[in-house]
Amino acid sequence: MKVLIHNSAELAQQAVADILSNRIAASPASVLGLATGGTMEAVYDRLILALSESGVPVEEVKTFNLDEYWGLAPDHPATYRSYMNSRLFGRAGFPVGRTFLPASDAADPVAESAAYEAKIRDAGGIDLQLLGIGQNGHIGFNEPTSSLASRTRLKTLTESTRMANQQYFDGQEATPKYAITMGIGTILDARDCLLLATGSNKADAVRKMIEGPLGAHCPASALQLHPKATVVLDAAAATDLTLREYYQYVHPDGIDVQPSHG
Ligand code: GLP
């Protein structure tokens, strides 16, 4: 796992936006896995700027989001579809027909999940999967004890996740109880994984993900199995890492340089 620690949240967000925009510039037909949550809001603002400043075309990009709440009308303002349309797709000019999320109103979530997996396969798989992390170590909506081999499916949200997300709804009662999420196995199939965590409230989950034992108690620890996983952190999210000095020695200021000898 490559661990890049930046001095501030702003620098970490910019680093992730640059990786995404460089990836699209190098491969305009990239298949990107995208994420939502508060952490990604500034990343998408910066990505939109980076894309427009360098004139990077986005018409051929295909995107698959990690997850979507289940049991909401599609036009509900707190669906992840609404979030993505308003925060990224509309503003950056991504053709909406090439952007995919599970349907929040799917009548048959089992069939919807299988169809989502098939769509990802038909697109040739995901080149780069962007990820955030929940305070309980979830990725997508794979809550603790999710199978590390899981595929896209309906998951029941934990009370702690519902609490963390109730700010986007009209109180705890109105916060969805279910979501359709890519599985951990689905996420691990991506050719590259890129996880961003900022803030001291993520420090414990970040330590368990990077240095803890591999296990379903911390779904993000499954990234230890991925051959090309990059974790971008700000200093606050890196506070609890035992080997923090080592990561900073390997990549000073979070800069991803290749070693050379001589
Ligand atoms: C949400 C999303 C995750 C996200 C996480 C952290 O529940 N399903 O994909 O990474 O929680 O969200 P935030 O960035 O708001 O802390």
Side-chain angles (χ1 to χ4, degrees):
M1 206 183 278
K2 192 182 285 180
V3 181
L4 305 175
I5 304 173
H6 292 267
N7 289 326
S8 69
E10 292 71 24
L11 289 170
Q13 292 150 358
Q14 188 63 48
V16 169
D18 289 344
I19 292 170
L20 291 169
S21 111
N22 291 340
R23 172 66 67 121
I24 300 171
S27 307
S30 289
V31 180
L32 300 180
L34 296 178
T36 49
T39 308
M40 297 304 157
E41 293 175 6
V43 171
Y44 293 145
D45 288 346
R46 288 168 188 272
L47 175 60
I48 291 161
L49 264 181
L51 291 170
S52 74
E53 275 169 9
S54 14
V56 176
V58 296
E59 290 73 23
E60 287 182 67
V61 175
K62 220 175 230 185
T63 70
F64 289 91
N65 265 74
L66 281 167
D67 48 14
E68 176 62 283
Y69 292 113
W70 184 68
L72 293 181
D75 60 352
H76 189 291
T79 60
Y80 285 163
R81 166 55 81 184
S82 300
Y83 171 114
M84 292 306 300
N85 283 355
S86 66
R87 292 194 175 275
L88 180 64
F89 299 150
R91 291 162 66 204
F94 284 68
V96 171
R98 296 177 71 82
T99 66
F100 300 95
L101 291 92
S104 62
D105 61 344
D108 180 347
V110 175
E112 177 68 13
S113 301
Y116 202 62
E117 287 276 337
K119 260 184 240 162
I120 295 172
R121 259 195 321 273
D122 292 349
I126 291 171
D127 293 312
L128 172 65
Q129 177 66 58
L130 180 63
L131 296 158
I133 185 170
Q135 290 179 42
N136 63 2
H138 74 225
I139 46 175
F141 269 130
N142 293 284
E143 299 285 30
T145 72
S146 288
S147 160
L148 301 188
S150 50
R151 311 301 306 186
T152 303
R153 71 222 181 284
L154 187 72
K155 280 295 288 180
T156 303
L157 304 180
T158 61
E159 279 312 293
S160 75
T161 295
R162 293 184 67 229
M163 289 278 280
N165 288 327
Q166 71 169 328
Q167 57 182 305
Y168 305 111
F169 294 90
D170 200 8
Q172 172 85 346
E173 225 4 77
T175 306
K177 295 186 171 63
Y178 305 97
I180 296 177
T181 180
M182 281 187 200
I184 297 175
T186 319
I187 293 168
L188 292 180
D189 281 350
R191 288 180 269 280
D192 282 276
C193 284
L194 175 64
L195 185 144
L196 171 65
T198 54
S200 56
N201 62 338
K202 300 291 173 70
D204 183 53
V206 163
R207 179 181 59 80
K208 289 177 177 148
M209 163 176 66
I210 298 174
E211 298 177 341
L214 171 67
H217 66 285
C218 178
S221 68
L223 292 177
Q224 294 173 22
L225 291 170
H226 196 283
K228 290 181 76 189
T230 300
V231 176
V232 178
L233 304 172
D234 70 348
T239 322
D240 292 353
L241 291 171
T242 309
L243 294 177
R244 180 185 169 142
E245 281 178 21
Y246 170 69
Y247 310 131
Q248 287 175 316
Y249 165 68
V250 179
H251 298 294
D253 296 324
I255 308 301
D256 185 9
V257 281
Q258 294 303 312
S260 62
H261 64 82

